């Protein structure tokens, strides 16, 4: 498993290191700070290096005017970044938790996403908004949310979510270089190792995973390309972030030969890879950690039925977080783990 | 203790002193005389501007004389330029309101009575400084001599609209004239201006930003965030609050102006702040120069509350006689900015009634000619509008597949 179908193979690059996702993200920012137009700020990201340590050492290396702490004001962080982007900088700002992004929503939806459109290209927002998302760390209802659908719904935004260190670095570099605004969601449960949903088993460090082999230098992972992380013939699983690993282990455990597609870029979407796979397998399961109703899975299902209806042999299933706030003590009842995904795989095979 | 000691609590909802049929008592404005308010050093501490937030900086007295420490030695040529910009703004506004009534455009917003603020500040800044305006600072574009034809094409949403028909009339974007794209969502630009100014400081440039907001929108969080960020990073920005007393039908007291001034907000945030007569061209120019100089010398942000009056309706969709006295402006104690500068220019021998009439006629003709030319390129009414296909452009830098498919679905 985990054969990356990307054109950029880490093993062909000159020097690689084993990195966690945190180290890979830091490496991306370190390289991009080599450009004089990149600036990084957010709550606790300066001297301390961020609550998840993603920017550790960068202020020391690049100086306080390039990497600095921001007031606790997501609206202010994104609003000032829009102004900096209009000036000609490429701000990379950190929202400490995706759960905290809502005070910035007007600046994101009405300003950042539409600046190019409303000014007919006079002003652009080449911004990257990094934010840790998802649960599995006992974060409760304010440190666990997956708000991707609130961004994929907004025209003008790109929404990206990596699932491994290699993609995290390459996608972050591509996001910073992109002239469109990018919402860069980082599944925090994957920061230090892959996680297949078996929370009662020992944690696997990234060092034991092939996608932790990351080139030390510059490379990009394209923003509009999905990755097939487990080739298969019986059912296509569309997923992203933490649940990529859940889907993979569910396929192994259920004995269903599932093709697992890690979308990586949620929007704009690599529809071609999805359609080719579903036309091959004839079955589809959508898995995400976010709440179900009007979740991104709903859009995926609409697109699959629109483009693959005559190839489908079973109704499309979705496995998601429940339509409740993300609970604290009942985290594992909420999380769409391998048994629920495995059950969905078997269900679509029974039709 | 008996419960009866306490009268029932009552919610306080501020009211203006005037309503239709009841003349406004403008004593709530707390005016100072011309020349009365001191001028502090450029490097003044924010706390030492507290008295400047309750007083009112004025230069012109009732006879058109320039008085006091804010009266600068301004080149009469610049004042004439300012007069021209104000007249052009007023004539343009009047003409466009008529065009809207003729259904040539869907909507318009005039700046009647507020022309001095944008005109004078634009002349106090460099063209490379960026203004982040609201929808009532068209005087900045006039002071910077932006093409009237292009402006009217935007208003008409026609085939030559530089914004391709995407924006409501008046939501201009003119980057080369230092005029940021107008949002329409209130207050968002205020904090963006601070970010733009921070970027100039990060890059080690000398450009400054000018942020604009109305009294009503200061209640938005963006305003308060802007003040915090501007103070924290000592951003080279002028934070302009145009207190024109009215936010559509809502009196400025509902935005929080009853027991404090909007200038006072700045002091609490560590920002040197001024309260200035916004209808006094000389005061606007002097205060803008002071704030611009502070910003450019790395002394940080300044907040200026401009006291003025929204003489016209909020927009062409509004009827202010429903909520305030119809003749309110004629009683507003700070008068008409054009009449006041005219009086001063005549007093110093650099203007006359004849010249006023001649320049007005010349500008009328210029606006009319621009309108005629712009209308040749179409109006929203006659259907000569940007193509439907262009609707799908500029959502992203490169058009993604899903938009290409949707464009095909529309058949354009």
């Amino acid at each position: 498993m985990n054969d990356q179908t990307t054109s950029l193979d880490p093993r062909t690059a000159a020097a690689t290191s084993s990195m966690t996702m945190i180290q890979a993200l830091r490496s991306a920012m370190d390289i991009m700070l080599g450009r004089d137009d990149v600036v990084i700020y957010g709550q606790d990201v300066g001297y301390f290096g961020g609550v998840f340590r993603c920017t550790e050492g960068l202020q020391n290396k690049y100086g306080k005017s390039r990497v600095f702490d921001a007031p606790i004001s997501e609206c202010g962080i994104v609003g000032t970044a829009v102004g900096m982007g209009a000036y000609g900088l490429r701000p990379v700002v950190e929202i400490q938790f995706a759960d905290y992004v809502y005070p910035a929503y007007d600046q994101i939806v009405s300003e950042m996403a539409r600046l190019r459109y409303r000014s007919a290209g006079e002003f652009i927002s080449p911004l990257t908004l990094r934010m840790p998302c998802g649960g599995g760390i006992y974060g409760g209802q304010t440190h666990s949310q997956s708000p991707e659908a609130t961004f994929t719904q907004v025209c003008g935004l790109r929404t990206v979510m990596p699932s491994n260190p290699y993609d995290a670095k390459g996608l972050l570099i591509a996001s910073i270089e992109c002239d469109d605004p990018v919402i860069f969601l980082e599944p925090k449960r994957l920061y230090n190792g892959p996680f297949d949903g078996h929370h009662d088993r020992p944690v696997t460090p990234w060092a034991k995973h092939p996608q932790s082999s990351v080139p030390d230098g510059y490379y990009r992972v394209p923003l509009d390309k999905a990755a097939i992380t487990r080739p298969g013939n019986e059912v296509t699983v569309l997923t992203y972030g933490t649940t990529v690993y859940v889907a993979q282990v569910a396929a192994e455990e259920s004995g269903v030969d599932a093709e697992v597609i890690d979308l990586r870029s949620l929007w704009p979407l690599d529809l071609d890879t999805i359609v080719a796979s579903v036309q091959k397998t004839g079955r589809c399961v959508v898995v995400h950690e976010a709440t179900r109703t009007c979740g991104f899975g709903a859009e995926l299902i609409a697109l699959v039925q629109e483009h693959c209806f005559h190839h489908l042999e079973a109704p499309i299933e979705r496995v998601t977080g429940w339509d409740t706030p993300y609970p604290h003590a009942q985290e594992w009842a909420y999380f769409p783990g391998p048994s629920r995904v495995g059950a969905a795989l078997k269900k679509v095979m029974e039709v | 203790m008996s419960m009866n000691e306490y009268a029932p609590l009552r919610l306080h909802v501020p009211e203006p002193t005037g309503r239709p049929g009841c003349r406004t008592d403008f004593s709530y404005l707390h005016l100072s005389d011309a020349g009365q308010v001191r001028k502090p050093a450029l490097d003044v501490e924010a706390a030492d501007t507290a008295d400047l937030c309750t007083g009112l900086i004025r230069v012109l007295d009732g006879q058109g004389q320039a008085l006091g420490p804010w009266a600068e030695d301004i080149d009469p040529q610049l004042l004439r330029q300012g007069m021209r910009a104000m007249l052009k703004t007023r004539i343009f506004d009047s003409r466009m309101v008529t065009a809207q009534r003729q259904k040539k455009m869907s909507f318009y917003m005039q700046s009647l009575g507020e022309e001095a603020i944008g005109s004078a500040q634009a002349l106090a800044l460099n063209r490379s400084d960026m203004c982040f305006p609201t929808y009532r600072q068209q005087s900045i574009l006039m002071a910077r001599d932006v093409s009237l034809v292009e402006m009217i094409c935007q208003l008409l949403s026609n085939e030559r609209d530089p914004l391709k028909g995407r924006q409501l009339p008046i939501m201009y974007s003119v980057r080369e004239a230092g005029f940021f794209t107008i949002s329409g969502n209130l207050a968002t630009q205020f904090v963006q201006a601070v970010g733009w100014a921070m970027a100039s400081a990060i890059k080690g440039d000398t450009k400054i930003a000018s942020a604009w907001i109305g009294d009503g929108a200061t209640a938005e969080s963006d305003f308060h965030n802007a003040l915090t960020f501007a103070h924290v990073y000592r951003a080279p920005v002028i934070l302009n609050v145009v207190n024109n007393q009215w936010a559509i039908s809502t009196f400025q007291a509902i935005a929080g102006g009853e027991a404090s001034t909007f200038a006072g907000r700045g002091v609490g945030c560590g920002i040197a702040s001024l309260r200035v007569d916004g209808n006094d061209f000389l005061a606007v120019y002097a205060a803008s120069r002071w704030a611009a100089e502070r910003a450019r010398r790395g002394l940080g942000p300044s907040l200026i509350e401009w006291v003025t009056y929204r003489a016209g309706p909020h927009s062409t969709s509004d009827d202010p006689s429903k909520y305030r006295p119809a003749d309110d402006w004629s009683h507003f104690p700070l008068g008409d900015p054009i009449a006041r500068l005219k009086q001063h220019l005549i007093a110093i021998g650099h203007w006359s009634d004849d010249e006023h009439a001649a320049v007005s006629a010349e500008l009328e003709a210029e606006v009319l000619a621009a309108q005629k030319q712009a209308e040749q390129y179409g109006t929203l009414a006659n259907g000569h509008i940007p193509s439907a296909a262009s609707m799908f452009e500029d959502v992203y830098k490169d058009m993604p597949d899903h938009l290409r498919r949707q464009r095909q679905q529309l058949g354009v």
Side-chain angles (χ1 to χ4, degrees):
Chain A
M1 67 185 222
N2 298 311
D3 285 333
Q4 190 82 22
T5 57
T6 170
S7 54
L8 291 151
D9 186 338
R11 284 150 293 200
T12 63
T16 65
S17 303
S18 175
M19 296 189 197
T20 66
M21 195 185 280
I22 289 168
Q23 290 166 330
L25 292 164
R26 186 188 304 144
S27 173
M29 288 186 272
D30 192 350
I31 288 167
M32 295 314 286
L33 280 163
R35 297 173 57 134
D36 65 2
D37 56 355
V38 171
V39 57
I40 293 175
Y41 61 106
Q43 293 153 22
D44 300 297
V45 309
Y47 186 88
F48 179 55
V51 293
F52 289 104
R53 325 296 302 133
C54 289
T55 55
E56 187 177 25
L58 296 180
Q59 183 180 74
N60 201 30
K61 185 169 175 182
Y62 294 97
K64 282 204 286 189
S65 69
R66 303 285 308 286
V67 181
F68 53 88
D69 290 327
I72 303 174
S73 164
E74 290 75 18
C75 165
I77 290 169
V78 178
T80 51
V82 171
M84 289 183 198
Y87 192 94
L89 299 185
R90 289 182 184 270
V92 182
V93 301
E94 179 177 305
I95 303 296
Q96 199 159 74
F97 286 86
D99 315 65
Y100 300 169
V101 76
Y102 305 111
Y105 202 56
D106 187 30
Q107 286 286 346
I108 293 171
V109 175
S110 314
E111 303 295 317
M112 180 176 96
R114 297 194 221 138
L115 207 60
R116 175 192 296 279
Y117 190 77
R118 80 173 199 226
S119 70
E122 278 204 326
F123 297 94
I124 64 169
S125 286
L127 276 54
T128 304
L129 272 53
R130 296 180 40 241
M131 57 190 92
C133 67
I137 61 151
Y138 285 109
Q141 44 103 24
T142 55
H143 300 77
S144 306
Q145 293 170 66
S146 296
E148 65 271 13
T150 63
F151 300 117
T152 53
Q153 203 265 344
V154 178
C155 47
L157 296 182
R158 292 179 174 273
T159 302
V160 174
M161 194 189 297
S163 70
N164 61 67
Y166 178 85
D167 283 353
K169 178 173 173 179
L171 286 169
L172 184 53
I173 288 175
S175 297
I176 295 169
E177 289 184 335
C178 181
D179 283 345
D180 300 322
V182 181
I183 303 290
F184 195 89
L185 293 156
E186 301 168 2
K188 65 178 89 68
R189 177 65 211 225
L190 301 183
Y191 270 154
N192 288 303
F195 176 66
D196 62 13
H198 285 298
H199 55 93
D200 46 354
R201 296 183 187 170
V203 172
T204 315
W206 275 119
K208 294 189 175 168
H209 193 282
Q211 291 303 116
S212 72
S213 176
V214 176
D216 294 330
Y218 169 97
Y219 67 96
R220 293 162 56 104
V221 170
L223 286 184
D224 51 359
K225 286 278 174 282
I228 298 171
T229 64
R230 184 195 189 281
N233 290 304
E234 291 185 313
V235 50
T236 299
V237 179
L238 303 179
T239 189
Y240 47 89
T242 309
T243 44
V244 167
Y245 302 95
V246 177
Q248 286 170 178
V249 80
E252 303 304 327
E253 291 171 0
S254 65
V256 175
D257 185 20
E259 179 148 287
V260 178
I261 298 181
D262 175 0
L263 299 178
R264 303 197 290 194
S265 282
L266 276 52
W267 205 260
L269 183 71
D270 180 3
L271 190 60
D272 292 346
T273 297
I274 295 171
V275 169
S277 177
V278 177
Q279 289 186 348
K280 176 180 74 174
T281 63
R283 289 178 169 82
C284 183
V285 171
V286 172
V287 184
H288 61 59
E289 204 182 329
T291 47
R292 175 172 302 180
T293 304
C294 300
F296 188 57
E299 181 60 35
L300 291 172
I301 291 168
L303 286 168
V304 169
Q305 76 82 25
E306 185 183 333
H307 293 272
C308 310
F309 184 76
H310 295 293
H311 293 82
L312 286 173
E313 292 170 36
I316 305 162
E317 283 290 314
R318 58 179 158 171
V319 185
T320 67
W322 307 117
D323 283 347
T324 72
Y326 212 118
H328 183 241
Q330 307 90 330
E331 180 155 76
W332 302 117
Y334 181 92
F335 187 87
S339 67
R340 281 171 61 199
V341 177
L345 292 175
K346 286 179 184 160
K347 188 176 171 192
V348 293
M349 293 310 297
E350 283 164 6
V351 178
Chain B
M1 193 186 287
S2 155
M3 290 294 286
N4 296 339
E5 281 180 50
Y6 301 100
L9 290 164
R10 291 174 64 185
L11 184 70
H12 173 66
V13 180
E15 268 293 315
T17 57
R19 283 296 193 189
C22 168
R23 191 168 154 174
T24 301
D25 173 5
F26 281 108
S27 67
Y28 76 86
L29 288 172
H30 299 291
L31 306 180
S32 312
D33 289 335
Q36 193 190 342
V37 175
R38 70 190 175 89
K39 183 175 187 178
L42 284 177
D43 61 351
V44 65
E45 296 286 331
D48 294 334
T49 61
D51 61 310
L52 304 172
C53 299
T54 50
L56 188 73
I57 294 166
R58 309 177 71 186
V59 172
L60 292 174
D61 72 1
Q63 283 70 51
Q65 301 299 317
L67 303 177
W70 292 90
E72 294 185 7
D73 186 20
I74 307 175
D75 181 352
Q77 208 43 49
L78 186 138
L79 295 178
R80 290 165 58 89
Q81 216 181 324
M83 173 60 92
R84 207 181 164 85
M86 288 200 287
L87 279 173
K88 197 166 162 183
T89 305
R90 186 165 295 183
I91 289 163
F92 184 85
D93 276 351
S94 165
R95 192 79 219 169
M96 293 308 119
V97 166
T98 303
Q100 193 277 335
R101 291 205 186 106
Q102 293 167 338
K103 303 197 188 308
K104 289 175 177 170
M105 59 187 73
S106 62
F107 180 77
Y108 191 73
M109 304 181 90
Q110 56 176 320
S111 61
L112 184 65
E114 303 177 33
E115 296 93 341
I117 308 169
S119 301
Q121 182 154 120
L123 293 174
L125 298 176
N126 299 333
R127 202 179 177 92
S128 55
D129 298 329
M130 186 64 74
C131 299
F132 287 73
T134 77
Y135 40 67
R136 228 181 290 282
Q137 274 81 48
Q138 48 265 52
S139 53
I140 294 172
L141 296 171
M142 297 301 175
R144 288 183 170 174
D145 278 323
V146 168
S147 155
L148 296 184
V149 176
E150 279 194 22
M151 287 175 70
I152 300 171
C153 286
Q154 195 281 326
L155 298 171
L156 296 171
S157 301
N158 67 18
E159 286 164 348
R160 296 233 185 151
D161 172 4
L163 305 183
K164 302 184 183 176
R166 292 169 186 162
Q167 281 275 58
L168 268 180
I170 208 128
M171 306 296 175
Y172 308 108
S173 176
V174 193
R175 188 184 178 112
E176 66 80 22
F179 195 91
F180 188 71
T181 158
I182 298 174
S183 172
N185 273 29
L186 299 186
T188 50
Q189 74 285 352
F190 214 64
V191 67
Q192 292 163 0
V194 174
W196 196 95
M198 288 168 68
S200 179
I202 289 168
K203 293 289 285 177
D205 295 337
T206 56
K207 290 180 270 193
I208 67 172
S210 161
W212 295 83
I213 200 167
D215 48 290
T218 61
E220 291 282 7
S221 65
D222 304 65
F223 172 75
H224 301 274
N225 295 326
L227 266 54
T228 299
F229 277 69
H231 166 61
V232 167
Y233 301 107
R234 209 172 289 167
V237 61
I238 306 174
L239 301 163
N240 298 285
V241 179
V242 179
N243 181 359
N244 68 10
Q245 315 304 319
W246 292 94
I248 306 187
S249 73
T250 310
F251 183 58
Q252 57 105 27
I254 291 285
E258 187 173 47
S260 67
T261 66
F262 296 99
R265 307 281 197 279
V267 176
C269 285
I271 296 171
S273 303
L274 310 173
R275 184 167 176 264
V276 181
D277 179 348
N279 290 3
D280 177 340
F281 186 95
L282 274 68
V284 177
Y285 183 76
S288 296
R289 287 247 305 169
W290 183 83
E293 199 60 19
R294 276 173 48 78
R296 231 181 284 282
R297 290 183 185 281
L299 296 169
S302 312
L303 186 148
I304 308 175
E305 174 183 351
W306 306 105
V307 179
T308 184
Y309 188 87
R310 195 197 77 210
H314 166 71
S315 72
T316 47
S317 308
D318 180 38
D319 176 6
S321 71
K322 294 269 194 281
Y323 50 80
R324 68 183 190 190
D327 61 348
D328 217 25
W329 188 38
S330 61
H331 302 293
F332 182 64
L334 300 179
D336 174 351
I338 291 179
R340 289 175 66 193
L341 182 60
K342 181 184 171 198
Q343 186 188 32
H344 173 69
L345 274 173
I346 291 173
I348 61 171
H350 285 277
W351 200 253
S352 67
D353 283 321
D354 287 349
E355 190 170 6
H356 195 85
V359 170
S360 297
E362 179 202 324
L363 291 169
E364 288 273 8
E366 187 185 334
V367 170
L368 192 62
Q371 185 182 354
K372 274 192 176 161
Q373 192 187 337
E375 285 181 12
Q376 284 173 10
Y377 310 132
T379 67
L380 186 61
N382 72 17
H384 289 284
I385 57 171
S387 73
S390 73
M391 175 166 72
F392 298 93
E393 293 162 7
D394 295 327
V395 182
Y396 297 88
K397 184 183 183 190
D398 302 309
M399 193 181 297
D401 288 342
H402 71 283
L403 287 178
R404 211 170 291 284
R405 284 194 298 272
Q406 288 174 24
R407 193 181 65 183
Q408 285 162 3
Q409 213 174 342
L410 182 62
V412 292

